[in-house]
Amino acid sequence: MAKPKIVIIGAGLGGTIAAYEIRAAVKGRAEVMMIAESETYSFVPSNPWVAVRWREPEEIQVHLPPIFARKKIGFTAVGAKRLHAAEKRVELNNGDSVDYDYLVIATGPDLAFDEIEGLGPDGYTVSVCQTSHASHAANMFDAYVENPGPIVVGAVQGASCYGPAYEFALILDTELRRRKIRDRAPMTFVTAEPYIGHLGLDGVGDTKSLMESKLRERHIKWITNARVAKVEPGLMHVEEIAEDGAVAKTHQLPFGYSMMLPAFRGVPAVRDIPGLTNPRGFILIDKHQRNPAFPEIFALGVCVAIAPTGPTPVPVGVPKTGFMIESMVTAVAANLAALIAGETPEAEATWNAVCLADFGDGGVAFVAQPQIPPRNVNWAASGKWVHLAKVGFEKYFLRKVRRGESEPSYERLAMHIMGIRKLRM
C-alpha cells in the first residue's frame, strides 16, 4: 500500500524544523514533502544585525535542498499558489499540483505594507521582516549616516511582532554611538502598544519598567497608542488614540531614516477559505494545532490565529515567538505520528516562550509560561549577557538547520532541567 503523504507549506523557522521533526516522528511510515518559496532558509531573528551590517545575509542563510535530500524529505521551491482544501490539493505557482493526506501550514505571514500609504520598502520606510528587506535597510542606512537626521522606529496598528522593533531601535542607538553621530540622530519610537513593553502580551515580568528605562537611558522618545495615518517622503503622520477611540493628539514626525514593522495577515494561498481562516487569513486551530473544518490540516507559527490578550485603543496582535513555535512543531509531529499509527492525536503544545531581545551591547531576556497570560512563570531580566546569549543562539540554531536536526537530546534535557517543556504533561 502507498504510504500516506504529509505536505508542509513554508520553509521558515517553524516549517523547516517541522519537516525534520515530523520525518523523525513518523519513522518512515509516511512520505514527507516541503513546498517552499525559496531554496534558502534565513534566520530572521538576525535581520536587525543585517540592517546595520553586523551580519551579511549569507552568514545567516542555509541552502536547503541538499539537507532535505539527505533527510529523504521531498522539496520544491516553486511555491504554493492556492490551497484547495476540499480536494486535499495544493496548486503550485507553475500550475502543477501536489496532493496530500495531511497538510501542515507553516507559511508565516503576508506583510500588509499596502494597508498604510507610503509604508514599507516600496514606500518610504524600511523593514527587517525579511532578510532581503534588511539588506535594503542596510543600503539605506549607509546613505543615512552620510547625512544624519531624525529617526523613527516602531510598529504600526495591527502589528503582532514588537520585539524586533525595540531591538532595532536600540541596535541603531548602539551603532550610531559607535560612529560618534548619535548626537545628530534624535530618535522616536512609535508603537500601537498601549504602553511600552506591552509586546502584544500585556507585558512579561516587568518589561514595562525595563523597556521604559532602556528608552529613557538611550534618549529615545516614544508615542504609544499610535496609529500611523500615512507616510510621506521624510515625514510620518501619526495619530495618538485615546481610550475611547478618539484622536487625542496628532504628530508630524520628520525622519531621515525609518523602520516600521507592518501588520500581518494570512498569505494569499490560504486566505478566504471558509472554515480554514479568520477574516485576516490566519489559520483556525484547536488545542492540537488542528483545523476543526479540515481535520487533516494542521498549522503552526505566525500563520495561526490567536486572539488578542485584551482590548486596546489601537489594534495590537499577539506575537508567535521562537520557542512557542517550536512547541507547536513538537505537538504537530506527535499528533501526525499518532494518526499515522491509527491512534487519536492528544499532544498539546505548551506555547511557552523563551526570548532574547538584543540591544547591541546588552538586552532583555524573558520567560513566559505560557506565552499568553495568565502565566505560571512570568520573568524578565536584562544585562550584557543577553547579547552574548543571542549570538550563541544564532550559531546554535543555524547549526541545527544545517544538520537537519530539530531538538537534540541535550537541548531537550537542558530545557527540562529548567522546567521549560514543549508539550503539556
Side-chain angles (χ1 to χ4, degrees), residues 16 24 81 119 131 154 165 177 215 284 311 334 352 356 364 385 405:
T16 299
K81 180 179 181 180
L119 186 71
T131 302
R177 282 188 285 112
L215 296 186
L284 301 169
N352 289 335
L356 301 168
V364 168
W385 63 271
E405 293 181 318

Side-chain angles (χ1 to χ4, degrees), residues 1 43 92-93 106 128 142 155 157 217 249 257 299 335:
M1 292 179 62
F43 187 66
L92 304 182
N93 285 326
V128 293
D142 289 342
Q157 57 271 25
E217 176 187 316
K249 191 175 182 180
Y257 187 84
N335 287 328

Side-chain angles (χ1 to χ4, degrees), residues 258-271:
S258 176
M259 194 293 294
M260 296 295 292
L261 299 178
F264 292 168
R265 62 192 172 206
V267 301
V270 301
R271 207 182 300 158

Side-chain angles (χ1 to χ4, degrees), residues 99-124:
D99 296 326
Y100 61 84
D101 295 289
Y102 299 101
L103 181 69
V104 179
I105 301 175
T107 58
D110 185 42
L111 306 173
F113 293 116
D114 59 293
E115 293 181 343
I116 298 175
E117 181 185 342
L119 186 71
D122 292 332
Y124 308 110

Side-chain angles (χ1 to χ4, degrees), residues 94-280:
N94 65 358
D96 292 341
S97 287
V98 174
D99 296 326
Y100 61 84
D101 295 289
Y102 299 101
L103 181 69
V104 179
I105 301 175
T107 58
D110 185 42
L111 306 173
F113 293 116
D114 59 293
E115 293 181 343
I116 298 175
E117 181 185 342
L119 186 71
D122 292 332
Y124 308 110
T125 64
V126 299
S127 161
V128 293
C129 293
Q130 297 176 357
T131 302
S132 59
H133 292 171
S135 184
H136 169 69
N139 293 334
M140 299 300 290
F141 183 66
D142 289 342
Y144 165 82
V145 296
E146 297 299 319
N147 183 28
I151 292 175
V152 178
V153 174
V156 307
Q157 57 271 25
S160 56
C161 189
Y162 297 90
Y166 287 103
E167 284 190 298
F168 192 61
L170 292 158
I171 286 169
L172 274 178
D173 171 83
T174 299
E175 177 63 17
L176 292 168
R177 282 188 285 112
R178 289 175 180 174
R179 292 173 181 255
K180 307 298 184 185
I181 57 174
R182 179 65 176 90
D183 59 314
R184 297 160 60 190
M187 194 181 306
T188 304
F189 190 81
V190 174
T191 178
E193 300 162 274
Y195 58 83
I196 291 298
H198 180 280
L199 302 173
L201 298 170
D202 202 11
V204 180
D206 197 21
T207 49
K208 182 178 189 295
S209 295
L210 278 172
M211 296 311 305
E212 283 187 352
S213 176
K214 291 297 178 185
L215 296 186
R216 212 175 274 116
E217 176 187 316
R218 308 286 187 106
H219 304 287
I220 300 173
K221 297 179 180 180
W222 65 77
I223 301 170
T224 55
N225 288 321
R227 183 170 65 200
V228 177
K230 66 176 180 178
V231 185
E232 297 177 328
L235 185 67
M236 186 176 298
H237 298 267
V238 177
E239 299 170 338
E240 194 171 341
I241 306 303
E243 289 293 328
D244 62 0
V247 177
K249 191 175 182 180
T250 60
H251 304 264
Q252 283 74 47
L253 302 177
F255 64 85
Y257 187 84
S258 176
M259 194 293 294
M260 296 295 292
L261 299 178
F264 292 168
R265 62 192 172 206
V267 301
V270 301
R271 207 182 300 158
D272 301 322
I273 297 176
L276 183 71
T277 65
N278 71 6
R280 288 290 292 178

Side-chain angles (χ1 to χ4, degrees), residues 160 162 198-205 285 289 301 304-311 316-321 323-325 327-328 349-355 366-379 424:
S160 56
Y162 297 90
H198 180 280
L199 302 173
L201 298 170
D202 202 11
V204 180
I285 57 170
Q289 306 293 136
V304 304
I306 300 179
T309 56
V316 171
V318 176
K320 292 92 173 183
T321 56
F323 192 83
M324 178 190 189
I325 293 172
S327 79
M328 295 182 191
T350 58
W351 288 15
N352 289 335
V354 182
C355 292
F366 68 78
V367 176
Q369 299 188 51
Q371 179 168 294
I372 310 299
R375 304 183 178 106
N376 297 313
V377 176
N378 191 42
W379 173 86
R424 292 187 181 274

Side-chain angles (χ1 to χ4, degrees), residues 82-91 95-100:
R82 187 64 177 169
L83 169 62
H84 300 273
E87 303 170 28
K88 296 187 180 181
R89 176 173 66 90
V90 180
E91 181 186 352
D96 292 341
S97 287
V98 174
D99 296 326
Y100 61 84

